[in-house]
């Protein structure tokens, strides 16, 4: 493919893209993220990834109090040049403004969840947790594929350090009380 056959948006402005650009760029691939002013494209997801997201979204929707909602694959504006798309977000119900809404704001998010994919390991393990913590998102989960089973690493924000502290690693069952009472049989992934 020659440079002239690429769309104009393939060439970032000198100062990088900003969060609003994701809503303005025509024919942008679905699930494009903005990290540090650069566009990040998502490759096709593996079966484990899809099933892990389905398992957790369903369980979070059943467990969430009435003032919270679990959402999958919606971008979150964390700053001018930061608009990642967590695999799952738990948001305040008041953050829902319209059916055409394309993002939430950091202050709307109670929990961000990333399910590791081979092409996103570095971003999901390093950069995104840092961005979520700096934006003040109180809870973060990282889900790893361990021989086809989810291992959920649960983190809570240390508000002074603005970084996450590991509060537990869960293999067969995820039972915690924050951000609300959650009890998930992780082995149910085999039924999906």
């Amino acid at each position: 493919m020659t440079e002239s056959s690429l769309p104009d948006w393939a060439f970032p402005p000198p100062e990088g893209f900003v969060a609003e650009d994701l809503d303005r760029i025509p024919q942008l691939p679905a699930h494009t993220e903005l990290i540090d002013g650069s566009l990040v494209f998502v490759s096709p997801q593996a079966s484990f990834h899809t099933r892990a997201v389905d398992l957790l979204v369903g369980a979070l929707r059943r467990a969430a109090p009435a003032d919270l909602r679990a959402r999958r694959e919606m971008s979150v504006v964390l700053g001018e040049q930061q608009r990642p798309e967590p695999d799952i977000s738990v948001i305040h119900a008041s953050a829902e403004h319209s059916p055409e809404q394309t993002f939430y704001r950091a202050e709307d998010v109670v929990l961000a969840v990333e399910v590791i994919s081979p092409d996103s390991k570095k971003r999901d393990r390093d950069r995104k947790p840092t961005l979520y913590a700096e934006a003040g998102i109180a809870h973060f989960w990282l889900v790893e594929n361990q021989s086809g089973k989810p291992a959920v690493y649960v983190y809570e924000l240390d508000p002074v350090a603005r970084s996450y502290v590991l509060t537990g690693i869960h293999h067969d069952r995820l039972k915690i009380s924050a951000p609300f009472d959650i009890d998930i049989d992780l082995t149910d992934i085999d039924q999906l």
Side-chain angles (χ1 to χ4, degrees), residues 5-47:
S5 65
L6 293 174
D8 289 341
W9 56 259
F11 305 97
E15 65 282 358
F17 290 104
V18 295
E20 295 82 20
D21 289 336
L22 268 65
D23 292 322
R24 294 191 283 244
I25 298 174
Q27 300 174 333
L28 193 64
H31 307 294
T32 299
E33 297 181 282
L34 181 68
I35 306 289
D36 300 323
S38 297
L39 300 177
V40 177
F41 305 106
V42 178
S43 43
Q45 299 301 320
S47 173

Side-chain angles (χ1 to χ4, degrees), residues 79-160:
E80 184 180 25
Q81 292 191 310
Q82 311 295 350
R83 188 170 163 181
E85 183 178 291
D87 291 310
I88 304 166
S89 300
V90 173
I91 60 160
H92 295 284
S94 60
E96 287 290 342
H97 301 293
S98 81
E100 290 78 32
Q101 186 171 347
T102 60
F103 64 88
Y104 301 112
R105 300 212 172 270
E107 58 269 18
D108 301 328
V109 181
V110 175
L111 166 68
V113 180
E114 294 290 350
V115 178
I116 298 288
S117 293
D119 72 317
S120 67
K121 278 183 189 176
K122 182 91 172 132
R123 281 189 314 277
D124 290 348
R125 287 181 180 160
D126 298 329
R127 190 64 183 134
K128 286 184 174 183
T130 299
L131 292 172
Y132 296 147
E134 289 172 351
I137 295 174
H139 301 273
F140 173 70
W141 297 354
L142 188 64
V143 183
E144 299 266 0
N145 178 350
Q146 291 188 348
S147 302
K149 305 288 185 203
V152 181
Y153 293 72
V154 175
Y155 298 87
E156 192 165 328
L157 183 65
D158 174 339
V160 174

